Amino acid sequence: MTDADATPRSGAAQPGAEQPDPLSTASRDIAEVPAVEIISTAALHLMSAAAVNLGLAADLPDHKDLDEARSLIDSLAGLLDAAAPALGHHHAAPLKDGLRSLQLAFREASSIQDEAGQGPGEKYTGAVFPAATQR
């Protein structure tokens, strides 16, 4: 090994030089985000994934996986049920509307209908019916 090999290149970390810990930086960034934003983002991810699995994505209209959609809708309903008090009406109402739309789309896409109150997420929301046939 020559002296040139032993000399650190410019831009390389110097021994003992303080490097920021990427995990602590990420933790600091997350700590600055309000809970309502994190919950809303998680809910939107669940909604998007459920919509794709219901065949509602414009670029994947033939893709349907109702088992996956059921799991995602159940998870979304549970999240919204638990988080509604923290979200407040202003944030929770549009998310609940989206959930109801997904539940109705699931009912429409399913060839075997669930009993009332047994559809995805209905243990949290109660039975969901199209407006024309509400009981």
Side-chain angles (χ1 to χ4, degrees):
M1 184 152 102
T2 66
D3 286 340
D5 293 331
T7 306
R9 297 178 189 161
S10 63
Q14 299 289 329
E18 192 78 21
Q19 293 293 320
D21 177 13
L23 292 178
S24 71
T25 303
S27 295
R28 246 183 272 120
D29 290 345
I30 289 172
E32 294 174 6
V33 179
V36 67
E37 287 185 38
I38 292 172
I39 294 166
S40 296
T41 300
L44 290 174
H45 284 290
L46 290 167
M47 284 179 159
S48 296
V52 167
N53 283 297
L54 287 170
L56 301 176
D59 56 340
L60 289 173
D62 296 329
H63 175 79
K64 282 193 184 169
D65 188 335
L66 296 183
D67 287 337
E68 288 290 306
R70 180 183 293 277
S71 295
L72 292 161
I73 294 169
D74 275 338
S75 298
L76 175 62
L79 172 64
L80 294 181
D81 184 55
L87 291 175
H89 179 74
H90 177 73
H91 293 283
L95 295 172
K96 287 182 176 183
D97 287 345
L99 168 60
R100 184 174 189 282
S101 294
L102 290 169
Q103 289 172 310
L104 291 171
F106 183 92
R107 218 172 248 295
E108 187 176 306
S110 182
S111 59
I112 301 172
Q113 294 298 307
D114 292 313
E115 293 293 322
Q118 301 301 308
E122 291 183 355
K123 67 181 173 186
Y124 300 105
T125 63
V128 175
F129 301 101
T133 62
Q134 279 191 345
R135 298 173 188 179

